Amino acid sequence: MKRSGSRNCLNRRSRFGSRERDWLREDVKRGCVYLYGADTSTATTTTTSSASSASSSSSDLHLVLCTVETPASEICAGEGRESLYLQLHGDLVRYKCKNVLRRLEPTERPLQIVYEYLSRLGYDDPVRIQEEATNPDLGCMLRFYGEKPCQMDHLDRILLSGIYNVRKGKTQLHKWAERLVVLCGTCLIVSSVKDCQTGKMHILPLVGGKVEEVKRRQYSLAFSSAGAQAQTYHVSFETLAEYQRWQRQASKVVSQRISTVDLSCYSLEEVPEHLFYSQDITYLNLRHNFMQLERPGGLDTLYKFSQLKGLNLSHNKLGLFPVLLCEISTLTELNLSCNGFHDLPSQIGNLLNLQTLCLDGNFLNTLPEELGNLQQLSSLGISFNNFSQIPEVYEKLTMLDKVVMAGNRLEVLNLGLLNRMSHIKHVDLRMNHLKTVVIENLEGNKYITHMDLRDNQLTDLDLSSLCSLEQLHCERNQLRELTLSGFSLRTLYASSNRLTAVNVYPVPSLLTSLELSRNLLECVPDWACEAKKIEILDVSYNLLTEVPMRILSSLSLRKLMVGHNHVQNLPMLVEHIPLEVLDIQHNLLTRLPDTLFSKALNLRYLNASANSLESLPSACAGEESLSALQLLYLTNNLLTDQCVPVLVGHPHLRILHLANNQLQTFPASKLNKLEQLEELNLSGNKLKTIPTTIANCKRLHTLVAHSNNISIFPEILQLPQIQFVDLSCNDLTEILIPEALPAALQDLDLTGNTNLVLEHKTLDTFSHITTLKIDQKPLPTTDSTVTSTFWSHGLAEMAGQRNKLCVSSLAVDNFAEGVGAVYGMFDGDRNEELPRLLQCTMADVLLEEVQQSTNDTIFMANTFLVSHRKLGMAGQKLGSSALLCYIRPDTADPTSSFSLTVANVGTCQAVLCRGGKPMPLSKVFSLEQDSEEAQRVKDQKAIITEDNKVNGVTCCTRMLGCTYLYPWILPKPHISSTTLTIQDELLILGNKALWEHLSYTDAVSAVRHVQDPLAAAKKLCTLAQSYGCQDNVGAIVVYLNIGEEGCTCEMNGLSLPGPVGFASTTTIKDPLKPTTPSSSSGIASEFSSEMSTSEVSSEVGSTASDEHNTVGLDAGLLPRPERRCSLHPTPNSGVFQRQPSCATFSSNQSDNGLDSDDDQPVEGVITNGSKVEVEVDIHCCRGRENSPTLAERSPAPCPEEHGRGLFWGIRRQNSVNSGILLPASKDKMELQKSPSTSCLYGKKLSNGSIVPLEESLNLIEVATEAPKKKTGYFAAPTQLEPEDQFVVPRDLEEEVKEQMKQHQESRPEPEPNEEDRTELPEEFDTAL
């Protein structure tokens, strides 16, 4: 191996071995470059995920060891190559067979290019950059070729080619000879077989010519050109198939003039020579190439196309304007965008016929005066350059009617300059830096009709001098006041500002559309009420308290949006109105006008969700309803059963949402009349049944009725068009299914029905459904499984109005051996492939990165970057937003409990509820919401289209995937970390659609009082859909119960309470029914309950030593190892394992206060037949000699219990929470998510969170209360022997009683009116 210099290329290798790795470790500036072969088909398939696959095809892919100083010329010399070619960001797949490769200059350094690429992606550590550069997966984003992949069929427009017998001329004087025949573009090329590339070629133009059959020779065609000097070639084919193929293709060429040639994305440095023989080319597209100037077919030779009118040279990185292009006088259209030009030559004024000139995405700040010579120029694009003012040359270009300067650097809008340009009608200045508007004089502008000032920094805008203004866009500024002229105003878009006043004078008589949403308006402007032709009015997200009668009774208004205001009532309608769409959601309405439905007969859409409606007005006074209402959204109101009969008055209803109301029944006779119903949402009510008459709704395709009390499966499987059914979180027990399911049924959700038992026959029938969600039985677990009692989750995903679900979720409650949790949300927008890939791989990547670094910023960033790489070829053309939340023990602060690290790219967000208030943890990477990211993308000269999308593809500036949009789209995430406290109640993860329709406050308040996380997640998605979301929506709700009180170990001289659920005696007055514990894991348990009226829990601790045999309470004075839990692991000097387990004993099987009918109940244990929960936390530790603890050391009980410590608690459950068999670890994790089992770990609050109670009993008290037997002891709940129980040795009974007495006397009296709070007693240990 060659090692003689840092600049030298070391060796060509097909395998990366240990010697190479050792050499790399010596210097971070060393590395390797993977070199691909020239075969594009092979190169595409060699992009594999392992080095072994690369080595298996060493002839096409091998690595070259080098340093960052090694130039391309040195690598070429060592490889015997003429040049190296670089291919970036996956265009090989994006453009199918087209390859975008750039030939490297001899002085360029390939390894340095790789390192800079990885650094721009987001890698910071040089060692990690070196490691990533050696991964062959990088070839999906960046690769080097030793030869240029060439596909002549596409470069030369070759349609057909082959070697055939050819005869020239119409007569038989010429002989038949074997020649190479090529049908290229509009020409037939005949050449020698031996010297086809260098020899003499005969070119026959076919445009206007003929293709005829030669009758005297089988399978022969005669090709003739047009004109007086026409030539003819006879070609003889061997088979009928070839003859027919050539005849068919040549006939198309002859009859059609192919004047457009598209050679975009072919890595061209020059135009193929054969193209110059196609004389009819009028439009040439050379976009996304690397065209050179001084080459045989370079840009200097384009003048040979004598009829060329259109030329596209965008994205060629020319740097300098090719002056010789100015000699192509026939050009009418020229596109030179994104070429890095800093100035234009004066010769551009020679293109007198030019009509369209596109110079977007360059670095221009001035335009030459000679440009004014182009009097035919009607379109000039200079967007996304560096102009600081409107060029004065616009005054000379009188054919121009638009100033298109989006994305420049204008800070001042000079209306005086525009006044001098009487030919300008449209002005596009969006995404500049405009702050002020300057008016030189009072003279009005009568010419400008359209102006776009979106995404600037304007605070006040006065355009009253533009008396001909018809349309104004000024969204996303900082406007406080807006003044306009109303003479010609037709449409006004001014949303997302801070407007308190909008002045328009005179009244805009032509105004048809007015959008003022997301401002600070307290009333609708008077001039808007007087507009006679207004059809659309959007004043949502303001501070309105009333809707003027003149607006609601307008005879022209078709669409009224007043949602998210403070409106308390709507005016009574007197006359008929043409209103078709009314959105009044999120207001303070208690009732709707009585005449709403009778006067608004054209009303098709009504959304009155999130109000306080208690009733609905009747549809009409007569017998026959004239209502045209089709979509009705009434979610989150106070509606009762009395509103249902009113719905019958709307026979054309297609979509009905009544979720989260107070419905208890839905009369069958009423539902029977809604025959046109297609979508019905009744979730979050108190329904016990769905009427059987739902079978008459033959058009119903969606039924959502989760979170009710439904016990009987509705008769919906008879409906022919049913597609989606959600009956989760109900009380279903069985399902009666027909012999055959509806063919259209795609999604059936039955999770959260704890008592539902499905037979194998039923499951087999349901197996044909595309998506079936049911609870599975708990899986057996091992003793080593660690279960978290600090969090539980639920997730929901809904497709909405779209045919496919492009949102995927990740939920792992036990992550990294049970000491943490991971939750993620992935939104692919329009693709479902990438979210599913990320769902399957991202947790594994995180686990690997956590093992390499303890810094949360480093391992989270690397997780996203590695996941970006692992997307492979799928990530070249597709992209996805990603959100990842990782909960782990806080290693930086040992006195705290857990830390939460959140990382995201794209538009998915996470919100933490802390103390009842939302705390956003994510950053939205979109052009509209992140000005810094928008500026970064603009500086890198991306083209942002009018719909605010990067290159017209996505609104996100950071995503996983979309490598072909590098460097505009990056995978580097935003990362935030916070320490979780007892005030943190829940965590919400949602995709873009969820947060567009739910504010942080609304989302938190909606689920704080929901007991089950699955029902909470379902509720969020349901609310989003009812509030107007028609896209895919996904939500994960994580209930948190984390704090120092949730610790089970002893630290800092204090005895900390046990797991969060170990509480003192409490009484639940209104216990809720048990619901499913989880939504993602799909695991639920069957519950059997017995009634009781109190809950008793105890918390004690005990350890067993392997060194001391001292008996007595004095042993507690000796130092012993700290009792540790998963919250505070034992340091490396000890061995720590946590094996939580629970067992339930009923009165007829074990000692629950009564051993038999003759025994007396033990004092302190209630004996009403309910079950006793025993929680045991087993710690196996090897203590340190100098561990500073106050925990007592106790003697070793017996050999089989050597080194085992016991921590246990006894509680009696309320009826709804009793009878739960809690298996070890994983089963316990699943069960603790439901309200019934969460009571086992702590006091359940009304907001759904759990906090530990502060009263704890010591071991002696519990040992006295425990059932007594002559033999045996309770070792661990995993041994389900009825004889096993705790026993106080007889020789310690007196001492135990004495200590108990002293303890009771020393306990302080509890404070009045605080039943649940007591002082923590001192703990004692005793032998077992």
Side-chain angles (χ1 to χ4, degrees):
M1 180 179 294
K2 188 176 179 182
R3 301 176 183 267
S4 58
S6 61
R7 290 178 55 86
N8 293 329
C9 174
L10 290 180
N11 200 355
R12 164 178 172 169
R13 304 286 299 179
S14 60
R15 184 185 300 273
F16 202 81
S18 58
R19 297 180 61 189
E20 289 73 29
R21 297 186 185 277
D22 293 340
W23 180 78
L24 293 183
R25 294 191 184 100
E26 296 176 4
D27 190 351
V28 294
K29 295 184 178 180
R30 298 176 179 177
C32 71
V33 173
Y34 283 94
L35 204 57
Y36 288 77
D39 185 4
T40 55
S41 61
T42 305
T44 302
T45 58
T46 55
T47 305
T48 57
S49 59
S50 63
S52 60
S53 60
S55 63
S56 64
S57 57
S58 58
S59 61
D60 299 316
L61 171 64
H62 63 273
L63 59 89
V64 178
L65 300 178
C66 56
T67 70
V68 294
E69 301 295 332
T70 305
S73 59
E74 187 173 340
I75 296 179
C76 291
E79 294 292 315
R81 308 284 187 179
E82 294 183 0
S83 302
L84 290 183
Y85 295 87
L86 171 65
Q87 180 240 326
L88 282 176
H89 40 71
D91 286 319
L92 186 68
V93 172
R94 170 67 178 174
Y95 300 101
K96 299 181 180 179
C97 61
K98 305 179 182 181
N99 306 314
V100 179
L101 289 95
R102 180 176 65 87
R103 181 170 56 86
L104 296 181
E105 297 295 332
T107 57
E108 290 189 86
R109 297 169 292 178
L111 186 60
Q112 182 67 24
I113 293 175
V114 176
Y115 283 7
E116 290 179 354
Y117 181 89
L118 293 173
S119 178
R120 295 186 71 177
L121 282 183
Y123 289 103
D124 298 326
D125 184 13
V127 177
R128 185 57 187 262
I129 292 177
Q130 182 187 57
E131 177 186 348
E132 285 295 316
T134 62
N135 196 308
D137 284 351
L138 193 63
C140 290
M141 297 183 287
L142 176 147
R143 64 173 60 179
F144 295 92
Y145 285 89
E147 297 180 10
K148 182 178 179 180
C150 184
Q151 297 183 353
M152 295 300 297
D153 290 350
H154 296 276
L155 297 183
D156 299 337
R157 298 171 65 210
I158 293 179
L159 304 177
L160 293 172
S161 64
I163 300 175
Y164 306 105
N165 289 324
V166 179
R167 190 189 72 182
K168 182 180 180 181
K170 296 182 179 180
T171 64
Q172 299 183 4
L173 297 177
H174 296 86
K175 297 181 180 180
W176 292 89
E178 192 176 68
R179 294 289 184 266
L180 174 64
V181 183
V182 177
L183 182 62
C184 173
T186 60
C187 301
L188 184 72
I189 302 175
V190 181
S191 61
S192 171
V193 177
K194 183 178 180 181
D195 302 320
C196 60
Q197 297 295 332
T198 60
K200 183 178 179 180
M201 293 183 295
H202 301 271
I203 301 175
L204 181 68
L206 294 178
V207 176
K210 298 179 181 180
V211 178
E212 300 175 323
E213 179 185 1
V214 179
K215 298 181 179 180
R216 295 182 180 181
R217 190 179 181 93
Q218 189 179 22
Y219 306 146
S220 297
L221 291 174
F223 298 87
S224 302
S225 61
Q229 303 294 330
Q231 293 182 339
T232 301
Y233 281 90
H234 292 75
V235 181
S236 177
F237 303 97
E238 297 180 356
T239 64
L240 176 63
E242 288 182 334
Y243 166 82
Q244 292 176 342
R245 183 166 60 251
W246 276 78
Q247 184 185 39
R248 182 170 53 252
Q249 194 67 48
S251 299
K252 294 180 180 179
V253 173
V254 170
S255 60
Q256 299 179 4
R257 291 179 175 268
I258 303 178
S259 59
T260 300
V261 177
D262 185 0
L263 293 178
S264 60
C265 308
Y266 279 113
S267 305
L268 295 178
E269 295 180 356
E270 59 185 51
V271 177
E273 183 180 358
H274 294 165
L275 279 182
F276 291 100
Y277 298 103
S278 300
Q279 300 297 323
D280 61 325
I281 293 179
T282 59
Y283 183 84
L284 181 59
N285 185 1
L286 295 173
R287 172 179 170 267
H288 265 299
N289 284 288
F290 302 98
M291 297 298 297
Q292 303 294 320
L293 295 177
E294 300 177 355
R295 294 182 69 92
L299 297 179
D300 293 345
T301 62
L302 293 182
Y303 68 90
K304 295 181 179 180
F305 295 102
S306 58
Q307 301 182 27
L308 190 63
K309 294 183 179 181
L311 178 61
N312 188 342
L313 286 172
S314 63
H315 297 275
N316 270 269
K317 299 182 179 180
L318 298 176
L320 296 176
F321 191 97
V323 180
L324 290 180
L325 290 181
C326 301
E327 298 182 2
I328 308 178
S329 59
T330 58
L331 279 178
T332 60
E333 180 181 345
L334 180 60
N335 189 338
L336 294 170
S337 60
C338 300
N339 275 292
F341 298 152
H342 287 80
D343 52 46
L344 297 180
S346 59
Q347 291 87 337
I348 198 171
N350 297 334
L351 299 174
L352 299 179
N353 293 320
L354 201 62
Q355 300 176 10
T356 301
L357 177 60
C358 184
L359 298 169
D360 299 334
N362 286 287
F363 297 93
L364 302 173
N365 51 31
T366 59
L367 292 179
E369 295 182 2
E370 290 77 6
L371 194 66
N373 298 335
L374 309 182
Q375 292 301 307
Q376 296 188 34
L377 192 66
S378 59
S379 176
L380 175 61
I382 54 175
S383 297
F384 301 100
N385 279 276
N386 296 339
F387 292 96
S388 58
Q389 61 182 1
I390 300 177
E392 296 182 358
V393 73
Y394 270 97
E395 297 184 36
K396 300 179 180 180
L397 300 173
T398 56
M399 292 295 293
L400 288 178
D401 62 348
K402 297 180 181 179
V403 174
V404 184
M405 295 185 62
N408 278 277
R409 300 180 177 179
L410 277 71
E411 295 185 359
V412 178
L413 174 58
N414 190 341
L415 293 181
L417 179 61
L418 293 176
N419 291 340
R420 297 194 296 267
M421 304 177 187
S422 60
H423 52 281
I424 299 298
K425 297 182 179 180
H426 296 250
V427 179
D428 183 1
L429 297 177
R430 60 188 175 89
M431 301 192 74
N432 276 271
H433 302 158
L434 292 176
K435 298 179 180 179
T436 57
V437 177
V438 176
I439 304 177
E440 295 181 352
N441 50 56
L442 299 178
E443 182 182 357
N445 186 306
K446 301 179 180 180
Y447 312 106
I448 295 179
T449 60
H450 295 73
M451 181 168 286
D452 192 342
L453 301 175
R454 285 176 290 174
D455 299 288
N456 279 282
Q457 303 172 21
L458 296 168
T459 56
D460 294 285
L461 182 59
D462 186 352
L463 298 179
S464 57
S465 61
L466 305 182
C467 55
S468 297
L469 189 64
E470 297 179 5
Q471 177 177 297
L472 173 63
H473 279 278
C474 56
E475 302 98 306
R476 293 179 297 278
N477 279 272
Q478 302 174 17
L479 295 175
R480 295 187 296 267
E481 186 173 355
L482 176 62
T483 303
L484 301 173
S485 170
F487 285 108
S488 303
L489 191 63
R490 296 177 182 270
T491 54
L492 172 59
Y493 304 95
S495 61
S496 301
N497 283 284
R498 302 173 182 175
L499 289 172
T500 57
V502 180
N503 304 313
V504 178
Y505 182 82
V507 174
S509 59
L510 301 178
L511 184 68
T512 59
S513 179
L514 177 60
E515 183 177 328
L516 298 173
S517 61
R518 300 183 184 275
N519 282 285
L520 302 176
L521 297 175
E522 296 182 357
C523 62
V524 179
D526 291 337
W527 54 265
C529 302
E530 298 176 5
K532 302 299 182 182
K533 294 185 178 181
I534 188 169
E535 297 180 0
I536 301 174
L537 175 60
D538 187 354
V539 287
S540 56
Y541 292 94
N542 277 281
L543 305 176
L544 303 181
T545 57
E546 63 177 0
V547 177
M549 180 64 183
R550 291 180 295 174
I551 285 292
L552 196 59
S553 61
S554 172
L555 298 180
S556 61
L557 194 63
R558 299 289 187 273
K559 182 177 181 180
L560 177 59
M561 313 288 287
V562 290
H564 297 270
N565 280 281
H566 303 153
V567 179
Q568 298 182 3
N569 55 72
L570 294 178
M572 190 69 63
L573 294 177
V574 179
E575 302 293 337
H576 289 280
I577 59 175
L579 194 65
E580 298 177 3
V581 176
L582 177 59
D583 190 336
I584 51 175
Q585 60 175 302
H586 285 86
N587 278 284
L588 305 176
L589 298 173
T590 57
R591 56 178 300 175
L592 296 176
D594 295 336
T595 58
L596 176 62
F597 295 130
S598 60
K599 298 300 181 180
L601 297 179
N602 294 331
L603 192 63
R604 296 180 294 102
Y605 174 96
L606 173 61
N607 194 332
S609 300
N611 281 281
S612 301
L613 299 178
E614 299 179 358
S615 61
L616 297 176
S618 59
C620 62
E623 296 181 359
E624 183 178 357
S625 175
L626 301 177
S627 172
L629 192 64
Q630 298 181 17
L631 294 85
L632 180 59
Y633 297 89
L634 298 170
T635 295
N636 203 13
N637 278 283
L638 303 176
L639 298 175
T640 61
D641 303 349
Q642 298 178 356
C643 74
V644 177
V646 179
L647 301 176
V648 180
H650 307 286
H652 301 291
L653 268 182
R654 295 189 297 107
I655 298 177
L656 175 60
H657 282 221
L658 290 170
N660 298 102
N661 279 282
Q662 299 180 4
L663 301 180
Q664 296 184 355
T665 61
F666 202 108
S669 60
K670 308 305 179 183
L671 185 60
N672 186 33
K673 297 182 180 180
L674 301 178
E675 297 179 354
Q676 305 295 322
L677 207 58
E678 298 177 6
E679 179 178 328
L680 178 61
N681 193 324
L682 298 173
S683 59
N685 284 282
K686 301 178 182 179
L687 298 176
K688 296 183 178 180
T689 59
I690 299 292
T692 57
T693 52
I694 196 174
N696 295 329
C697 302
K698 300 298 183 181
R699 297 186 180 183
L700 190 69
H701 58 72
T702 300
L703 174 63
V704 181
H706 64 80
S707 306
N708 279 281
N709 301 324
I710 300 174
S711 58
I712 302 176
F713 191 83
E715 298 183 6
I716 54 174
L717 300 182
Q718 307 288 347
L719 299 176
Q721 300 183 21
I722 193 70
Q723 298 178 12
F724 179 86
V725 179
D726 187 352
L727 293 171
S728 58
C729 301
N730 278 286
D731 294 333
L732 296 177
T733 56
E734 60 179 353
I735 299 178
L736 299 178
I737 60 175
E739 296 181 359
L741 294 178
L745 185 59
Q746 300 178 2
D747 196 312
L748 177 60
D749 192 345
L750 300 174
T751 55
N753 291 278
T754 56
N755 297 322
L756 179 62
V757 178
L758 298 180
E759 300 178 353
H760 291 287
K761 180 180 179 181
T762 304
L763 291 174
D764 183 64
T765 304
F766 284 160
S767 63
H768 302 288
I769 303 176
T770 304
T771 304
L772 175 63
K773 302 175 184 178
I774 59 174
D775 293 330
Q776 300 177 359
K777 293 184 178 180
L779 300 175
T781 58
T782 60
D783 293 340
S784 61
T785 305
V786 180
T787 304
S788 172
T789 61
F790 304 104
W791 47 75
S792 60
H793 79 274
L795 69 84
E797 300 167 350
M798 296 183 181
Q801 301 295 326
R802 293 172 54 182
N803 295 327
K804 61 180 181 179
L805 182 64
C806 298
V807 177
S808 296
S809 303
L810 170 66
V812 183
D813 284 329
N814 276 335
F815 183 75
E817 299 181 357
V819 296
V822 171
Y823 305 99
M825 180 71 66
F826 314 104
D827 188 352
D829 192 19
R830 299 295 174 181
N831 79 88
E832 57 184 342
E833 183 178 356
L834 253 61
R836 293 183 180 180
L837 288 175
L838 294 171
Q839 178 191 34
C840 298
T841 61
M842 208 159 185
D844 295 333
V845 175
L846 175 61
L847 185 59
E848 295 175 1
E849 295 299 330
V850 168
Q851 296 172 355
Q852 297 184 27
S853 174
T854 58
N855 187 300
D856 51 4
T857 302
I858 294 178
F859 68 68
M860 266 299 191
N862 290 341
T863 297
F864 274 68
L865 298 177
V866 172
S867 299
H868 175 73
R869 169 173 54 81
K870 285 181 174 290
L871 291 175
M873 299 177 66
Q876 290 179 339
K877 56 182 178 179
L878 303 176
S880 174
S881 298
L883 168 65
L884 201 63
C885 300
Y886 177 34
I887 304 176
R888 62 169 183 155
D890 195 342
T891 56
D893 186 4
T895 62
S896 61
S897 56
F898 286 90
S899 66
L900 170 63
T901 303
V902 178
N904 80 291
V905 292
T907 55
C908 295
Q909 300 180 64
V911 174
L912 178 68
C913 174
R914 172 166 291 178
K917 297 182 179 180
M919 177 179 173
L921 302 176
S922 308
K923 182 178 181 180
V924 180
F925 288 103
S926 70
L927 293 171
E928 295 182 355
Q929 301 186 43
D930 193 335
S931 58
E932 295 181 0
E933 283 291 293
Q935 186 61 44
R936 177 184 68 82
V937 174
K938 286 167 52 182
D939 291 343
Q940 293 170 346
K941 300 307 174 182
I943 302 300
I944 301 174
T945 53
E946 291 189 2
D947 55 353
N948 269 355
K949 291 186 177 181
V950 180
N951 281 21
V953 177
T954 175
C955 64
C956 297
T957 59
R958 298 197 186 186
M959 301 174 68
L960 296 185
C962 281
T963 56
Y964 77 98
L965 291 177
Y966 169 89
W968 308 309
I969 306 298
L970 298 176
K972 185 177 182 180
H974 169 267
I975 302 172
S976 64
S977 297
T978 183
T979 300
L980 296 178
T981 66
I982 191 64
Q983 296 180 342
D984 298 326
E985 302 174 14
L986 53 91
L987 175 68
I988 301 176
L989 289 74
N991 69 329
K992 175 184 177 182
L994 179 73
W995 299 116
E996 281 183 343
H997 295 86
L998 280 175
S999 66
Y1000 301 144
T1001 303
D1002 290 342
V1004 167
S1005 60
V1007 299
R1008 285 190 68 202
H1009 302 282
V1010 179
Q1011 300 277 332
D1012 181 18
L1014 170 59
K1018 292 277 187 181
K1019 182 177 181 180
L1020 290 178
C1021 292
T1022 297
L1023 292 178
Q1025 289 185 333
S1026 296
Y1027 296 163
C1029 176
Q1030 297 182 353
D1031 208 342
N1032 293 167
V1033 59
I1036 299 179
V1037 178
V1038 183
Y1039 282 171
L1040 300 173
N1041 187 19
I1042 296 177
E1044 202 58 56
E1045 294 82 354
C1047 177
T1048 61
C1049 61
E1050 298 168 344
M1051 298 176 57
N1052 302 323
L1054 296 176
S1055 178
L1056 300 177
V1060 199
F1062 290 94
S1064 61
T1065 303
T1066 84
T1067 300
I1068 300 179
K1069 298 181 180 180
D1070 188 16
L1072 299 178
K1073 68 182 183 68
T1075 53
T1076 188
S1078 171
S1079 63
S1080 66
S1081 59
I1083 300 177
S1085 298
E1086 302 175 11
F1087 294 8
S1088 58
S1089 303
E1090 298 179 12
M1091 298 297 294
S1092 68
T1093 58
S1094 65
E1095 297 179 359
V1096 181
S1097 68
S1098 304
E1099 174 187 273
V1100 293
S1102 175
T1103 59
S1105 172
D1106 56 353
E1107 298 179 0
H1108 300 276
N1109 294 324
T1110 308
V1111 179
L1113 295 177
D1114 293 339
L1117 301 177
L1118 299 176
R1120 66 164 184 171
E1122 296 177 352
R1123 184 183 49 179
R1124 298 275 186 160
C1125 69
S1126 61
L1127 196 60
H1128 302 104
T1130 303
N1132 296 331
S1133 59
V1135 179
F1136 168 73
Q1137 289 182 345
R1138 183 172 184 266
Q1139 299 175 345
S1141 178
C1142 300
T1144 303
F1145 298 92
S1146 60
S1147 58
N1148 57 352
Q1149 293 181 350
S1150 62
D1151 303 300
N1152 187 21
L1154 284 176
D1155 189 35
S1156 65
D1157 295 338
D1158 299 329
D1159 291 337
Q1160 295 296 325
V1162 179
E1163 181 181 359
V1165 178
I1166 303 176
T1167 59
N1168 62 348
S1170 65
K1171 300 181 179 181
V1172 174
E1173 298 291 340
V1174 181
E1175 168 78 6
V1176 179
D1177 195 348
I1178 306 171
H1179 297 71
C1180 300
C1181 306
R1182 183 170 64 247
R1184 296 171 297 171
E1185 292 298 332
N1186 298 324
S1187 299
T1189 66
L1190 294 179
E1192 294 80 10
R1193 182 180 300 274
S1194 61
C1198 58
E1200 60 269 20
E1201 289 298 311
H1202 180 77
R1204 173 176 297 179
L1206 297 179
F1207 173 81
W1208 64 284
I1210 299 178
R1211 65 173 296 124
R1212 183 176 306 278
Q1213 288 191 311
N1214 190 279
S1215 59
V1216 292
N1217 303 321
S1218 62
I1220 306 174
L1221 177 61
L1222 298 181
S1225 58
K1226 183 176 181 180
D1227 296 352
K1228 170 183 163 184
M1229 173 195 69
E1230 301 298 341
L1231 285 173
Q1232 54 99 10
K1233 300 173 187 175
S1234 67
S1236 56
T1237 54
S1238 59
C1239 298
L1240 179 61
Y1241 307 106
K1243 180 180 179 180
K1244 191 72 175 185
L1245 297 180
S1246 59
N1247 59 7
S1249 63
I1250 307 170
V1251 297
L1253 299 178
E1254 300 173 1
E1255 179 182 1
S1256 63
L1257 304 177
N1258 59 46
L1259 176 62
I1260 300 177
E1261 295 174 312
V1262 178
T1264 305
E1265 296 176 354
K1268 299 179 181 180
K1269 266 195 174 182
K1270 297 181 180 180
T1271 60
Y1273 63 91
F1274 190 86
T1278 54
Q1279 303 177 8
L1280 301 179
E1281 296 293 335
E1283 293 80 13
D1284 288 348
Q1285 55 183 313
F1286 278 102
V1287 177
V1288 177
R1290 294 184 180 276
D1291 55 339
L1292 294 178
E1293 285 186 358
E1294 296 297 328
E1295 188 174 0
V1296 166
K1297 292 180 179 179
E1298 182 64 22
Q1299 292 294 334
M1300 284 187 58
K1301 182 177 180 181
Q1302 295 178 5
H1303 177 67
Q1304 293 290 346
E1305 293 175 354
S1306 63
R1307 177 181 298 181
E1309 292 295 329
E1311 298 179 6
N1313 299 328
E1314 294 186 12
E1315 300 177 357
D1316 294 339
R1317 298 188 55 188
T1318 59
E1319 294 294 328
L1320 290 175
E1322 182 181 1
E1323 292 191 1
F1324 297 89
D1325 284 350
T1326 183
L1328 298 180

